[in-house]
Amino acid sequence: MRTSVADIVRETAAKHGLSVELLLGHCRQRAYAWPRQEAYYRVFTECPHVSYPEAGRRLGGRHHTTLLHGVKAHCHRNGIEYADAVRQRMGDHYAPYFHQMMTAYAHALESARVQ
């Protein structure tokens, strides 16, 4: 059974003692923003069937780049490599492709630094 965005939102709000409305609100205070970013991360990793734009619509009508930033911020705060989060989202059957893609990306970054 797939995890739903609504379940993640409810669970994350309850974990942090917030209402769903506060979790999905627009307040930027850390007490609300960090749990919201945790919800973004969980949706990203646990709901691979939901795209960033769709997740943004379901998580308070946010732009997909807001979710991208939130997922990366949550990873950084918690010592999680963003690449590991992507790998978790993609699942084991994509692991060889993912490794090739990240290797090519690393080589491209190195080439750009040399120039």
Side-chain angles (χ1 to χ4, degrees):
M1 187 166 133
R2 287 200 243 187
T3 305
S4 75
V5 174
D7 288 341
I8 290 171
V9 168
R10 281 192 298 273
E11 290 169 9
T12 306
K15 174 183 172 185
H16 294 279
L18 301 173
S19 68
V20 169
E21 291 77 20
L22 283 174
L23 183 73
L24 297 180
H26 291 278
C27 182
R28 294 182 182 182
Q29 291 178 9
R30 185 179 302 168
Y32 306 113
W34 285 11
R36 187 179 308 126
Q37 290 174 347
E38 179 182 331
Y40 297 168
Y41 172 81
R42 287 193 57 201
V43 168
F44 178 72
T45 58
E46 297 175 30
C47 301
H49 57 282
V50 178
S51 67
Y52 264 130
E54 179 61 25
R57 285 189 286 276
R58 295 186 192 184
L59 292 166
R62 288 177 166 77
H63 194 265
H64 70 279
T65 57
T66 301
L67 272 69
L68 176 62
H69 168 78
V71 169
K72 288 181 176 182
H74 178 80
C75 287
H76 179 74
R77 267 194 315 277
N78 292 282
I80 303 166
E81 290 290 330
Y82 179 70
D84 291 337
V86 172
R87 192 175 299 113
Q88 183 178 348
R89 178 180 174 88
M90 293 171 63
D92 292 335
H93 55 282
Y94 288 109
Y97 169 75
F98 180 76
H99 177 72
Q100 290 173 344
M101 181 178 69
M102 293 307 288
T103 301
Y105 179 69
H107 288 300
L109 284 178
E110 189 59 36
S111 295
R113 282 189 205 130
V114 173
Q115 295 177 352

